[in-house]
Amino acid sequence: QLEENVAWRTLTEVQQHVLASKLSKFAGQLAGCSFLGGDMEAFSFSSDITAALRAAKWRVVPPNPNFLVMKPTSVPTTASPVERIDFGVELMSTPEAKAAALAIKNVLVKLGFDARYDSRPQKPQQSMVWVSVGHRPLGPQGEPKLRAEARKRQHPSNQITKR
């Protein structure tokens, strides 16, 4: 169980096939996969996602370990928000590609991975989806996460009750 809590995220061949079959209706969609620079676990997982999207006949720019994604920032002040480390997979898209981005998010969540959609609209020249893999979330991911959630549902004594 400890190993499952710290294991690298991976998409098995079966999971890649599931992702590809669910996303093939968006064949031809342009997407870019990235990861938090310096995080080889995130690089590996973004490569798995890229392979699945390409199997679904998407046009995908693969992740590159030498490319850094920078976030817009301003000079910090005492009123600046506290920044948090990005965990899990974040998806963004142009308005035309929102259904495709949400489809990726939904399949990843069903496979037991932390994923979210950022609804801030993006406006490049063409329809596009961005898949950004952040640091590995704490706790199990993938099938181990699904098993842990199933165990919690099976044992009511593990549930916290509200008073």
Side-chain angles (χ1 to χ4, degrees):
Q1 192 173 7
L2 180 61
E3 287 178 357
E4 289 181 346
N5 284 342
V6 297
W8 279 23
R9 293 168 289 179
T10 60
L11 289 175
T12 64
E13 285 186 31
V14 171
Q15 290 171 321
Q16 285 186 29
H17 178 74
V18 167
L19 192 62
S21 66
K22 298 282 186 186
L23 300 173
S24 62
K25 66 182 174 184
F26 301 103
Q29 175 64 56
L30 179 62
C33 284
S34 65
F35 63 97
L36 195 55
D39 185 334
M40 290 297 100
E41 185 275 341
F43 170 56
S44 176
F45 192 52
S46 63
S47 295
D48 288 350
I49 294 169
T50 298
L53 293 176
R54 285 192 171 175
K57 305 292 187 230
W58 286 41
R59 297 177 300 131
V60 185
V61 178
N64 182 333
N66 299 314
F67 179 75
L68 296 175
V69 177
M70 303 299 281
K71 285 180 140 185
T73 62
S74 58
V75 177
T77 69
T78 56
S80 297
V82 175
E83 293 293 327
R84 302 284 183 203
I85 294 175
D86 292 331
F87 289 100
V89 178
E90 179 180 73
L91 293 123
M92 298 177 78
S93 70
T94 56
E96 305 82 22
K98 182 176 180 179
L102 287 171
I104 296 171
K105 179 200 81 104
N106 292 338
V107 175
L108 287 174
V109 168
K110 283 183 181 176
L111 292 174
F113 297 100
D114 289 6
R116 66 192 174 286
Y117 179 75
D118 184 337
S119 61
R120 289 179 289 174
Q122 306 298 307
K123 299 186 187 271
Q125 297 286 333
Q126 53 188 309
S127 174
M128 178 122 182
V129 172
W130 291 271
V131 180
S132 180
V133 178
H135 290 297
R136 185 193 178 288
L138 298 175
Q141 289 287 286
E143 291 177 7
K145 179 179 180 177
L146 297 175
R147 285 194 300 271
E149 289 171 351
R151 282 192 300 271
K152 283 182 185 176
R153 285 191 300 273
Q154 290 174 350
H155 295 91
S157 62
N158 293 339
Q159 305 278 331
I160 297 174
T161 56
K162 292 183 180 179
R163 292 182 182 218

